Amino acid sequence: MPLRVLRAGYGSPSRQDQFPDPHALDARAGLPRAIELLDGRRIAVLTGAGVSTPSGIPDYRGPDATPRTPMTYQEFMSSVSNRRHYWARNQYGWHFVADAEPTAAHTAIARLEAAGHVDGVITQNIDRLHQKAGTVDVVDLHGTYAWVLCTACGSRFPREQVSRYLDELNPGFYDGMASAQDIEYSPDADATVEDTAGFRVWDCPVCQGVLKPDVVFFGENAPAEKVARSRRIVQRADVLLVAGSSLTVNSGRRFVRQAARSQTPVVIVNHGVTGGDALATVKVDAPVDRFLTELARNLGA
């Protein structure tokens, strides 16, 4: 698997002066303010791509993100050729996400949960690195790379099983490709495989329906039961900690609005501006992994 990964995302920011956020506290000033709000309180945590970037998984909208145009759910379902293109790239790229290791940010959150500070984690990431780090109460809001779903009958299959079948259907397909070290990946495991015309896809063995990774595509909504569970985590918390999310889309921003409506303090730690800054009690622009490590140490985790 790759030793070097090119950064990729879904659109670079139009204003580079948003990095760092000129209106946020830095790590030195922000840490005591965050500790003041978080110490001794039940913390709900919302995480985004920024907690996973030190593991090699690129973010979506960071200052170095490469603009990308992801396939939407509607495009995926509309034609066999689109699904062939998607699966050929995903089959090559999913191992990259699966082999990633937790960062210091994931470890810090797991320690905070074990010490009784964190009362639930909502993540927008599909990499399952929170679980690898040992966090127990995690809502994978956008699904996970580890499962494949039939869009017709709802059957679910382990990704390892689907991957084996795809390899059997496409022997030698990736022979002669460029070195894996030079392949560009994105956070949803999409890899830049250019020639995908001959790739064969695998249909549901139960009903012959269309299979898709059990993740939320652009153009899809997060499952209602996961949204409801996430809302309960925020509702019972004394404070919401947002880490490494730009809060650009409503999927995560809705929980910041929920906390603000109930007058629950919101602490946001991110590199660059976010879509929830106006509602933040404290906003810190700092490297997320180092900040959370210091936070856990100061809270006695």
Side-chain angles (χ1 to χ4, degrees), residues 219-236:
E220 279 191 289
N221 295 318
E225 67 275 10
K226 291 188 176 183
V227 174
R229 183 180 165 199
S230 300
R231 287 195 182 280
R232 288 194 294 270
I233 290 174
V234 176
Q235 183 178 20
R236 70 182 183 234

Side-chain angles (χ1 to χ4, degrees), residues 40-52:
R41 298 181 177 180
R42 291 174 299 178
I43 306 169
V45 179
L46 171 65
T47 65
V51 300
S52 296

Side-chain angles (χ1 to χ4, degrees), residues 78-220:
S78 67
S79 74
V80 175
S81 62
N82 284 348
R83 292 193 290 276
R84 181 185 300 121
H85 182 72
Y86 179 90
W87 276 110
R89 294 163 66 100
N90 189 270
Q91 171 67 355
Y92 196 81
W94 82 274
H95 298 281
F96 161 67
V97 176
D99 291 345
E101 292 297 327
T103 69
H106 298 105
T107 301
I109 291 169
R111 288 167 54 198
L112 286 167
E113 183 192 52
H117 296 289
V118 167
D119 196 39
V121 175
I122 308 158
T123 184
Q124 297 171 280
N125 303 331
I126 67 168
D127 51 40
R128 291 188 62 80
L129 292 181
H130 284 297
Q131 290 89 336
K132 281 187 178 181
T135 301
V136 176
D137 191 359
V138 183
V139 178
D140 295 304
L141 189 63
H142 292 164
T144 167
Y145 73 86
W147 292 92
V148 173
L149 173 72
C150 176
T151 58
C153 70
S155 298
R156 296 172 78 238
F157 307 93
R159 180 58 204 253
E160 292 89 346
Q161 176 188 359
V162 174
S163 184
R164 287 195 300 270
Y165 284 128
L166 288 174
D167 282 342
E168 292 172 5
L169 286 171
N170 299 278
F173 182 83
Y174 299 108
D175 292 351
M177 281 183 52
S179 169
Q181 283 86 348
D182 294 320
I183 297 296
E184 185 178 282
Y185 299 87
S186 68
D188 62 356
D190 185 44
T192 51
V193 178
E194 299 298 337
D195 185 7
T196 62
F199 195 83
R200 297 175 61 191
V201 300
W202 188 56
D203 294 324
C204 176
V206 177
C207 71
Q208 301 304 305
V210 173
L211 294 178
K212 67 177 282 290
D214 194 9
V215 300
V216 175
F217 279 45
F218 280 72
E220 279 191 289

